[in-house]
């Protein structure tokens, strides 16, 4: 449990550092590239991931910092954060 907590803390710090130092538009571009360049994803998985990216960017209930954090998390871990 302690190792997991340490790893989660490090991932959080790395994610927030990227989110706080990078503009939303740049994070969106990097996320789109990460999705399209991922050779492991099937075409359907890429469509789903790109749909998620658009959902994050269009979510009027999410703050810009929440959007930046979600995209930074995807760039660093490949995980798609639920915005709701």
């Amino acid at each position: 449990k302690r190792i997991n907590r340490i790893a989660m803390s490090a991932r959080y710090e790395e994610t927030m550092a990227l989110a706080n130092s990078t503009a939303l538009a740049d994070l969106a571009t990097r996320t789109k590239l990460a999705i399209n360049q991922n050779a492991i994803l099937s075409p359907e998985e890429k469509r789903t991931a790109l749909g998620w990216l658009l959902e994050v960017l269009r979510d009027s209930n999410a703050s810009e910092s929440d959007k930046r954090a979600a995209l930074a998390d995807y760039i660093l871990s490949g995980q798609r954060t639920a915005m709701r």
Side-chain angles (χ1 to χ4, degrees):
K1 288 184 178 184
R2 182 174 183 272
I3 293 171
N4 187 48
R5 187 173 60 248
I6 292 168
M8 287 179 61
S9 178
R11 183 182 310 158
Y12 171 82
E13 294 299 326
E14 185 179 18
T15 298
M16 295 312 296
L18 179 60
N20 291 329
S21 67
T22 311
L24 181 59
D26 293 335
L27 289 168
T29 298
R30 287 182 63 179
T31 301
K32 185 177 178 182
L33 283 172
I35 293 166
N36 287 325
Q37 293 177 346
N38 188 332
I40 296 173
L41 294 179
S42 70
E44 180 60 31
E45 290 170 320
K46 287 182 182 186
R47 280 192 290 280
T48 300
L50 290 169
W52 169 82
L53 171 59
L54 286 175
E55 181 181 311
V56 169
L57 294 173
R58 292 179 178 165
D59 188 344
S60 61
N61 294 318
S63 68
E64 182 171 325
S65 61
D66 286 341
K67 293 176 185 184
R68 289 196 325 259
L71 298 185
D73 188 33
Y74 184 86
I75 291 165
L76 295 171
S77 72
Q79 294 182 328
R80 293 187 299 235
T81 303
M83 296 302 292
R84 296 170 202 242

